[in-house]
Amino acid sequence: MKQLSVYDYLENNLKVLELFGGIGACSTALKRLNIPYEIVDYVEIDKYAVKSFNAIHNTNFEPQDISSWNKNVKVDLIMHGSPCQDFSLAGKQAGGDKDSGTRSSLMYETLRIVEKLRPRYVVWENVKNILSKKHKHNFDAYLEKLKELGYSNYYQVLNSNDYGIPQNRERVFTISVLGNHKFEFPQKQELKLRLKDLLEDSVDKKYYLNNETIDNIILNNQDTIENIIKNNNKRAKHQQELLQSKEICRCIPAGTHGSTPHLLKTVVSENPLKIRKLTAKECWRLMGFNDEEFEKAEKVNSNTQLYKQAGNSIVVNVLTTIFKELLKEDL
């Protein structure tokens, strides 16, 4: 039978519920694919993220607490990137056990909502460490509950640098489809962009670290780029190695504000050697958002919030490839 895409058969808008919606990576991915969709509701407690979402998507949502969300709506797709802080290696490893009160335990609120609304598709993104021995029991509980509800589950660790974005960002994507449905994760793509392709042509001098700070970084052995400097004797000699670091960006962390200690955000300028932080716009580009979307959010939020929102988001390009594969039917 002929394989048709969602564009060929979808008569009505795809009804989407975005939980822990952030700045709307899900909506943005659907928009990139020209899939007709309707945001049935958007649930996000962070008022600053809500402001950015509304600015980008021309909506008027208010902050909502998922713990008290209990609406009766018709939904085709639930997308959720539930809080990862208590699963992440960068956090305190508090975990996400049901009723534990941690932020990561809010994943169980998604299960409550799925049981109530029974959407056709459920897509979940979270950090790779949820598959570790310490946390996998919660991941398994999530899969088991969805299986009980009649869903077929598929999961895989995907890296954004395999899907068009030069950022080393590994995340677990879990796809659940109501009924007996076969899903295959998209094939890896050749990376054509490099970090340098996403950098602004010129940035304010405030983003550059001074020599004293660079020397302290070298002394404290805190970051890969600076390790290259430390392990050699003369800065000028290391220019080529440093420029190579501009190929792929290290993972943009959640909850960071662009301050000096967050050296995952460093890039290196041409001669003479200088080290600077990524700008907020560059971070958004590295999450798959375009400049128009960033500039809309920039009008309603501070730089601090824009950094945080990028780190907490999902890479749009990865979702785009997933939706291309997911939203197909054998007719």
Side-chain angles (χ1 to χ4, degrees):
M1 301 180 72
K2 183 182 179 181
Q3 188 88 344
L4 298 180
S5 74
V6 67
Y7 325 113
D8 296 312
Y9 76 86
L10 193 61
E11 296 179 357
N12 301 310
N13 289 347
L14 187 75
K15 294 177 172 58
V16 179
L17 172 60
E18 294 195 58
L19 305 178
F20 314 100
I23 52 179
C26 173
S27 296
T28 304
L30 293 172
K31 188 186 303 181
R32 296 278 195 276
L33 293 171
N34 294 316
I35 293 176
Y37 70 95
E38 173 190 350
I39 306 173
V40 174
D41 206 359
Y42 159 82
V43 183
E44 172 59 62
I45 200 168
D46 184 334
K47 65 180 181 180
Y48 300 107
V50 174
K51 289 171 67 176
S52 285
F53 184 97
N54 285 334
I56 294 168
H57 301 284
N58 194 29
T59 51
N60 293 291
F61 291 110
E62 296 290 336
Q64 299 186 80
D65 185 344
I66 194 170
S67 299
S68 57
W69 193 94
N70 194 33
K71 299 178 183 179
N72 289 305
V73 292
K74 178 175 173 53
V75 178
D76 300 312
L77 166 67
I78 287 181
M79 175 78 223
H80 70 115
S82 57
C84 65
Q85 293 93 332
D86 302 300
F87 294 134
S88 175
L89 286 170
K92 296 182 179 180
Q93 300 287 299
D97 290 353
K98 189 175 182 180
D99 299 323
S100 64
T102 67
R103 290 167 293 181
S104 291
S105 69
L106 291 171
M107 57 177 273
Y108 288 99
E109 295 294 339
T110 296
L111 291 176
R112 172 182 63 82
I113 293 169
V114 170
E115 184 171 15
K116 176 182 176 68
L117 300 182
R118 295 297 184 94
R120 184 169 189 177
Y121 309 108
V122 183
V123 179
W124 181 32
E125 182 259 19
N126 215 285
V127 293
K128 185 172 71 170
N129 199 48
I130 198 172
L131 300 179
S132 67
K133 183 177 180 180
K134 182 172 183 178
H135 301 303
K136 195 170 185 295
H137 64 283
N138 280 303
F139 184 77
D140 290 341
Y142 175 91
L143 296 181
E144 183 59 32
K145 180 61 178 179
L146 283 169
K147 183 178 178 181
E148 290 176 6
L149 294 174
Y151 287 83
S152 300
N153 300 310
Y154 306 88
Y155 70 91
Q156 191 167 310
V157 176
L158 304 181
N159 194 326
S160 58
N161 65 36
D162 291 322
Y163 299 96
I165 292 292
Q167 181 191 168
N168 185 32
R169 189 182 189 88
E170 293 184 301
R171 293 293 185 268
V172 181
F173 286 84
T174 305
I175 313 300
S176 303
V177 187
L178 194 59
N180 186 17
H181 181 94
K182 180 66 175 176
F183 172 78
E184 293 184 3
F185 279 92
Q187 296 295 312
K188 295 179 180 181
Q189 305 168 1
E190 179 185 357
L191 183 61
K192 297 180 179 179
L193 290 176
R194 292 294 182 261
L195 174 58
K196 61 185 177 182
D197 298 319
L198 299 183
L199 299 180
E200 296 189 66
D201 292 333
S202 61
V203 301
D204 192 282
K205 62 181 181 180
K206 68 182 180 182
Y207 291 100
Y208 285 89
L209 309 186
N210 59 41
N211 287 334
E212 181 180 357
T213 302
I214 293 173
D215 289 340
N216 287 334
I217 291 168
I218 297 169
L219 179 64
N220 293 326
N221 191 25
Q222 291 180 353
D223 189 76
T224 301
I225 293 176
E226 288 71 29
N227 287 343
I228 296 172
I229 303 172
K230 180 183 177 182
N231 293 331
N232 292 273
N233 295 322
K234 296 181 180 180
R235 289 184 179 178
K237 180 181 177 182
H238 317 144
Q239 191 65 42
Q240 187 58 41
E241 289 96 327
L242 288 162
L243 290 176
Q244 288 174 357
S245 70
K246 296 170 69 174
E247 295 297 294
I248 296 177
C249 178
R250 296 177 66 183
C251 182
I252 296 174
T256 61
H257 306 142
S259 58
T260 299
H262 301 301
L263 295 173
L264 297 177
K265 289 185 180 172
T266 56
V267 294
V268 181
S269 72
E270 276 69 16
N271 202 32
L273 175 61
K274 291 183 180 179
I275 298 176
R276 72 166 175 87
K277 297 172 287 185
L278 293 176
T279 67
K281 177 180 281 189
E282 290 166 344
C283 289
W284 278 56
R285 289 174 178 176
L286 284 160
M287 298 304 294
F289 290 88
N290 62 38
D291 287 358
E292 180 183 359
E293 290 156 347
F294 171 78
E295 287 158 9
K296 288 178 179 179
E298 187 181 32
K299 290 179 180 178
V300 298
N301 264 312
S302 68
N303 226 32
T304 294
Q305 294 300 328
L306 294 169
Y307 274 120
K308 178 180 177 182
Q309 290 162 17
N312 282 327
S313 188
I314 303 170
V315 176
V316 172
N317 298 53
V318 180
L319 285 179
T320 300
T321 60
I322 287 174
F323 289 152
K324 274 185 178 179
E325 181 62 34
L326 178 64
L327 300 175
K328 295 192 300 187
E329 289 286 342
D330 287 326
L331 299 180

